[in-house]
Amino acid sequence: HPKWLAASKGARALWTSAGSWSAGQLLDGYVPESALRILDGTKREAEDLVRVGLWERADAGWRFHGWIDFQPTRAAVVEKRRKDADRLKAWRDRKDAQRDEKGA
């Protein structure tokens, strides 16, 4: 993508690691300024991502441009996890009931 190609190598590395980190933290593409250090990024690289249109400035940090168009939101991830847990509990309950019937 032209935006990606226009960013510096360091900015592209920050974009990649920050995307993974933000998704894992369920932050909907938000990257707080305080996270730059743990992501091995710099303010200059972050501003480079803003310059090329991959990030937007946000309160005390940045946000990935178009995050919700390409990534699941926190709400969607939490809902999926809830449904998965409910489905797993129902499966375990069925297995326990089958085991109890066999043992009775």
Side-chain angles (χ1 to χ4, degrees), residues 3-38:
K3 290 179 185 179
W4 176 260
L5 295 173
S8 67
K9 185 177 181 179
R12 291 192 309 263
L14 174 60
W15 185 86
T16 302
S17 58
S20 178
W21 180 83
S22 184
Q25 298 297 312
L26 299 179
L27 294 177
D28 288 339
Y30 175 69
V31 180
E33 192 169 319
S34 60
L36 284 183
R37 184 173 176 178
I38 63 169

Side-chain angles (χ1 to χ4, degrees), residues 64-103:
F64 278 75
H65 175 77
W67 181 270
I68 62 171
D69 296 331
F70 302 101
Q71 301 296 325
T73 63
R74 175 187 182 94
V77 170
V78 168
E79 178 65 11
K80 181 183 183 313
R81 288 178 182 175
R82 185 192 62 78
K83 287 179 179 180
D84 289 348
D86 290 348
R87 187 172 53 254
L88 181 58
K89 182 182 182 321
W91 178 82
R92 287 179 175 155
D93 291 347
R94 284 192 307 275
K95 288 294 189 185
D96 288 346
Q98 289 171 357
R99 187 178 54 245
D100 290 347
E101 288 174 8
K102 289 179 183 180

